[in-house]
C-alpha cells in the first residue's frame, strides 16, 4: 500500500497495559476518535507518524510517474484531466502532511527524511511509465489498489488522519475511472494501442499486487496496528479483494492478466492467483528499483532549487510585519 | 533543516449557502495574505463566492482533554437544543 | 499590493450573458473578408494560452512548495481550458473541419501564432513567475477589453477567461513584489529574470495587419491602447518590488505572432505532439 511495511511497537495485552493505556484502548474499541494533544501511547504516535508520513511521501513522489506524461498527453482534454489528477496528488500529500503535523512533527522534518532516504514511499512509484497506456494502467490499477486501503482508513481511530482520508477519497473518486477510461480507449483502439494497453497491464500487474505488502497475517506489528485501528485489514485481505474486483474489469477490456495460474476458486468465492516476486519487492524498497534514483533526485532538486523561493517569501513576510509594526508605533 | 519553515495555518471556509465557516484543513504560508491565497488554490480550487478565514495554528487554543467531562457534559442535559427533542406532528411537514 | 486595474467582472458576466443570447448571430464568424485575419488572431489567443499553459504544466511535481505546485497547476488548467475555447472558435471560423485538438496537435511551428515570450523555457522559477506577471498584466487588460467585443462569441470567451486571469495577475504581481523585496538572492533572481524577458515583451503590443483588421472590426482593442495600461501596472509592481526596469529595448524579439519562433518552440511541440504524430488517426 502507500504505507508499506510500517513497523509499530510490540503489542501488549490488556492486563499488561497501564490504566492510561487501557482507557485509550477502550476508547478505540468503542470507535471513539483520538484527537491531537489527547493522551496516546508513544508507540501509537510514532507508528502513525511513520505511516501517515510514508503515505504523504507516496502521494508526492507519486506525482512524478504520471507528471511524466502531462506534457505528452494526446489531447487537450486528456492533458487537463491528467494535470488535475496529478495536482490532486499534491493536495493529498498536503492533507496527509498536515495530519502528521498534529502529532508533533513538521512537514520540513518529514521532507528531509524522505530526501535523505530515512523514510520510504510506496514501491510502485519506482516503476517507469513508458507509454500513454501506463496513464491508464496507473489510474486503473495503482489508484484502484490504493482505494482498497483508503476507503476503510476513513474509519481509522486518529481523527486528523480519518478526516484527511475522507477528503482524499472524495476527491479521488474520479482517478480510477479516468484511468479505466484511458484503458478502454486503448483496448478498443488501433492494434498498436491495444498492444500498449496489454503491455501496460503486463508491467503493472505484479507491482500493483506488491503495493499491499507481503503477507502480514502473522505479523505482531500488524496486529498492534489493527488493534489501534490505524490498519483496518490485513494485506492479504486487501490483495484478494483487489484481484477479485480487477480480473473481471480486465476481461471487460479484452486484456489478459499476466498470471497463468489465475483461476476462480468457487470454494473461497475468489480468485487463486500467483504471488508477486517478493525478492523484487525488497530490492525496490532497498533502492534498487528501476526508477528509485530518478524519483528521489527529482524531489531533491525541487526542494533545493526551491529554497530561495521559500526563503524569499519568508523574508518579505518578516519585513512587511515589521513595517506594519513600525507604522502602528508611529501612529500611536 | 536550519531554515525557518513557513508557519502552519488553519483554514476555515464558508460556502455559498451562508452556513458557518467550517474547518477544512491546514497549510503552510509565509503570512496571512498568502495563506488566504493558498487556501483558495488548495481547498476551494478557486471556486468563487466563498469566504475564507485563516488562523495561525499556533494561535488556536483547544480545550484540554482532561477538562472534557466538565466542559461538555452540561450540554448533554440541555436536550432541548437538539431538533429531535421536539415532536412535530406529521401534517406540519418538514421543519 | 500595488493598485491594479479594476477587474470589473460583474460587467463582464453581464456582457457574456448578452453574448450567449446572440451566439448564433455573431456576424463576424461568417464574414468572408475578415476570415483569414480573424482565424489568425484567434490562433494567437489560443496559442498563447496553450504554450504558456504547457510551460506551467512542466512544473507539476517539481514546485518549490506543495502550495505553489498546486497553484501553478491551477493556472495551467485555466489556460488549457481557455485554449480549448479559442481554438475551437478558430476552427469554426476557418470552416475547414479542424477541431481545437487538430490545431493544437497537428500544426508545425511556423503555423503557431503565440508570442515568443510564452515559449521561452521555464529556467528557474523566477523566470516562470516574472514571465507570468508580464504576460498576465497584458492578458488581463486585453481580456477586459475583449469582454466588450463586437463579436459576441469572443466576448463570451473573454468574460470567462477574465475571471481566471484577474486571479492570475493578482497572484503573479504579488509574488513579484514579495520575491523582488525578499532576500538578496530572490531579488537578484527576479531582476535577472526581468532583464532576460524584457526584450520579448514589446511583441505583445506590436500590431500587424491581423491586429489592425480585428481592431477595425471592433472585435479587439487597438494594442496601442493596451500598452499604456500595461506600462502603468508594470511600473507600479516593479517599483514596489524594488526592481529596476531594464535599460534595453523592449521589442527586440518579435515574430512569434507571424510564425517565426525561437528554437525552443520546436522542442516543445515535438514533446506535446508526439503521440498524435506517431500514431496518426488514433483516438485517445
Amino acid at each position: 500500500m502507500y504505507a508499506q511495511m510500517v513497523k509499530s511497537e510490540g503489542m501488549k495485552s490488556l492486563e499488561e497495559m497501564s490504566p492510561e493505556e487501557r482507557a485509550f484502548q477502550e476508547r478505540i474499541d468503542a470507535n471513539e476518535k483520538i484527537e491531537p494533544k489527547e493522551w496516546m501511547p508513544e508507540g501509537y504516535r510514532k507508528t502513525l507518524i511513520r505511516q501517515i508520513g510514508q503515505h504523504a511521501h507516496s502521494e508526492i513522489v507519486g506525482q512524478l510517474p504520471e507528471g511524466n506524461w502531462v506534457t505528452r498527453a494526446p489531447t487537450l482534454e486528456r492533458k487537463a484531466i491528467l494535470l488535475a489528477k496529478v495536482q490532486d496528488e499534491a493536495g493529498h500529500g498536503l492533507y496527509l502532511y498536515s495530519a502528521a503535523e498534529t502529532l508533533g512533527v513538521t512537514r520540513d522534518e518529514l521532507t528531509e527524511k524522505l530526501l535523505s532516504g530515512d523514510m520510504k514511499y510506496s514501491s510502485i512509484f519506482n516503476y517507469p511509465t513508458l507509454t500513454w497506456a501506463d496513464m491508464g494502467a496507473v489510474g486503473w490499477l495503482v489508484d484502484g489498489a490504493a482505494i482498497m486501503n483508503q476507503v476503510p482508513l476513513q474509519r481509522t481511530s486518529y481523527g486528523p488522519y480519518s478526516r484527511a482520508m475522507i477528503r482524499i477519497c472524495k476527491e479521488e473518486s474520479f482517478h480510477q475511472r479516468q484511468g479505466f477510461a484511458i484503458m478502454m480507449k486503448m483496448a478498443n483502439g488501433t492494434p498498436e494501442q491495444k498492444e500498449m494497453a496489454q503491455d501496460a497491464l503486463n508491467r503493472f500487474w505484479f507491482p500493483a499486487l506488491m503495493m499491499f505488502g507481503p503477507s502480514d497475517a502473522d505479523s505482531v506489528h500488524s496486529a498492534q496496528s489493527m488493534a489501534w485501528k490505524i490498519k483496518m485489514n490485513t494485506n492479504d485481505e486487501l490483495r484478494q479483494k483487489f484481484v477479485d474486483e480487477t480480473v473481471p474489469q480486465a476481461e471487460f477490456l479484452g486484456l489478459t492478466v499476466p498470471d497463468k495460474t489465475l483461476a476462480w476458486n468457487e470454494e473461497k468465492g475468489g480468485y487463486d492467483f500467483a504471488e508477486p516476486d517478493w525478492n523484487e519487492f525488497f530490492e525496490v524498497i532497498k533502492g534498487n528499483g528501476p526508477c528509485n534514483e530518478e524519483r528521489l533526485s527529482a524531489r531533491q532538486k525541487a526542494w533545493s532549487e526551491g529554497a530561495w523561493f521559500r526563503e524569499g517569501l519568508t523574508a518579505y513576510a518578516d519585513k512587511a510585519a515589521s513595517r506594519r509594526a513600525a507604522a502602528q508605533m508611529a501612529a500611536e | 533543516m536550519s531554515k525557518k519553515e513557513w508557519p502552519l495555518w488553519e483554514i476555515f471556509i464558508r460556502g455559498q449557502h451562508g452556513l458557518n465557516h467550517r474547518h477544512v484543513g491546514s497549510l503552510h504560508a509565509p503570512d496571512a495574505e498568502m495563506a488566504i491565497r493558498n487556501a483558495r488554490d488548495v481547498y476551494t480550487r478557486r471556486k468563487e463566492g466563498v469566504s475564507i478565514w485563516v488562523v495561525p495554528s499556533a494561535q488556536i487554543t483547544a480545550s484540554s482533554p482532561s477538562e472534557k467531562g466538565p466542559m461538555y457534559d452540561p450540554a448533554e442535559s440541555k436536550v432541548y437544543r437538539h431538533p429531535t427533542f421536539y415532536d412535530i406532528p406529521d401534517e406540519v411537514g418538514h421543519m | 499590493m500595488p493598485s491594479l486595474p479594476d477587474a470589473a467582472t460583474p460587467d463582464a458576466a453581464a456582457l457574456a450573458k448578452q453574448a450567449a443570447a446572440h451566439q448564433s448571430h455573431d456576424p463576424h464568424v461568417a464574414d468572408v473578408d475578415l476570415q483569414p485575419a480573424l482565424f489568425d488572431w484567434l490562433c494567437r489567443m489560443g496559442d498563447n494560452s496553450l504554450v504558456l499553459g504547457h510551460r506551467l504544466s512542466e512544473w507539476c511535481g517539481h514546485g518549490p512548495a506543495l502550495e505553489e505546485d498546486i497553484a501553478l497547476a491551477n493556472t495551467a488548467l485555466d489556460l488549457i481550458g481557455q485554449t480549448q475555447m479559442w481554438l475551437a472558435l478558430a476552427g469554426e471560423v476557418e470552416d475547414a473541419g479542424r477541431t481545437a485538438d487538430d490545431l493544437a496537435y497537428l500544426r508545425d511551428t511556423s503555423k503557431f501564432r503565440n508570442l515568443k515570450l510564452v515559449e521561452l523555457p521555464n529556467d528557474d522559477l523566477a523566470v516562470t513567475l516574472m514571465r507570468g506577471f508580464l504576460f498576465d498584466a497584458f492578458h488581463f487588460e486585453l481580456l477586459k477589453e475583449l469582454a466588450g467585443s463586437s463579436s459576441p462569441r469572443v466576448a463570451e470567451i473573454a468574460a470567462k477567461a477574465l475571471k481566471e486571469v484577474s486571479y492570475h495577475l493578482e497572484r503573479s504581481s504579488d509574488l513579484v513584489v514579495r520575491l523582488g523585496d525578499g532576500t538578496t538572492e530572490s531579488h537578484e533572481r527576479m531582476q535577472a529574470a526581468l532583464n532576460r524577458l524584457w526584450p520579448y515583451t514589446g511583441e505583445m503590443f506590436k500590431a500587424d495587419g491581423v491586429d489592425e483588421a480585428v481592431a477595425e472590426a471592433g472585435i479587439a482593442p487597438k494594442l496601442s491602447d493596451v500598452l499604456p495600461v500595461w506600462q502603468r501596472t508594470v511600473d507600479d509592481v516593479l517599483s514596489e518590488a524594488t526592481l529596476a526596469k531594464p535599460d534595453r529595448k523592449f521589442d527586440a524579439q518579435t515574430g512569434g505572432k507571424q510564425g517565426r519562433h525561437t528554437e525552443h518552440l520546436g522542442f516543445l511541440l515535438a514533446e506535446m505532439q508526439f503521440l498524435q504524430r506517431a500514431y496518426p488517426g488514433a483516438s485517445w
Side-chain angles (χ1 to χ4, degrees), chain A residues 234-276:
Chain A
T234 68
N235 295 347
D236 289 328
E237 281 167 8
L238 292 172
R239 190 168 15 247
Q240 182 70 51
K241 190 160 183 279
F242 173 74
V243 171
D244 292 344
E245 283 189 18
T246 309
V247 169
Q249 293 164 354
E251 282 166 4
F252 174 84
L253 291 170
L255 300 177
T256 310
V257 173
D259 176 358
K260 290 203 171 62
T261 70
L262 188 77
W264 178 255
N265 181 331
E266 193 60 57
E267 211 171 306
K268 77 171 178 186
Y271 286 92
D272 289 331
F273 58 94
E275 290 273 312

Side-chain angles (χ1 to χ4, degrees), chain A residues 50-203:
Chain A
R50 276 194 288 261
Q51 179 174 329
I52 302 173
Q54 208 182 100
H55 194 157
H57 297 331
S58 298
E59 297 282 355
I60 301 311
V61 177
Q63 286 186 277
L64 299 169
E66 288 174 284
N68 237 343
W69 279 87
V70 166
T71 53
R72 288 179 288 175
T75 68
L76 293 170
E77 188 185 49
R78 291 275 176 225
K79 192 184 187 72
I81 294 172
L82 185 61
L83 181 55
K85 174 180 189 272
V86 183
Q87 180 198 40
D88 274 354
E89 280 152 18
H92 299 168
L94 192 155
Y95 306 157
L96 288 161
Y97 283 126
S98 300
E101 284 179 274
T102 62
L103 293 159
V105 63
T106 69
R107 193 208 286 178
D108 281 6
E109 282 164 4
L110 290 169
T111 303
E112 297 281 318
K113 284 192 174 152
L114 166 69
L115 300 183
S116 66
D118 286 349
M119 280 182 87
K120 304 289 180 201
Y121 54 88
S122 177
S123 55
I124 191 73
F125 301 118
N126 291 311
Y127 289 87
T129 53
L130 302 175
T131 74
W132 176 252
D134 291 10
M135 296 304 98
V138 168
W140 172 39
L141 300 174
V142 176
D143 289 302
I147 288 166
M148 294 287 155
N149 187 44
Q150 290 175 170
V151 167
L153 272 178
Q154 293 178 102
R155 292 181 282 109
T156 188
S157 62
Y158 188 56
Y161 191 23
S162 158
R163 290 190 285 273
M165 292 318 305
I166 289 168
R167 201 173 176 94
I168 288 171
C169 286
K170 202 169 123 198
E171 292 185 1
E172 215 159 63
S173 53
F174 87 89
H175 290 186
Q176 190 187 14
R177 297 170 73 96
Q178 69 86 34
F180 195 71
I182 292 176
M183 287 312 270
M184 286 199 295
K185 272 277 184 194
M186 301 292 280
N188 297 309
T190 65
E192 286 157 316
Q193 285 176 306
K194 183 156 188 176
E195 196 184 318
M196 281 188 243
Q198 181 62 54
D199 176 56
L201 174 56
N202 293 349
R203 283 181 290 109

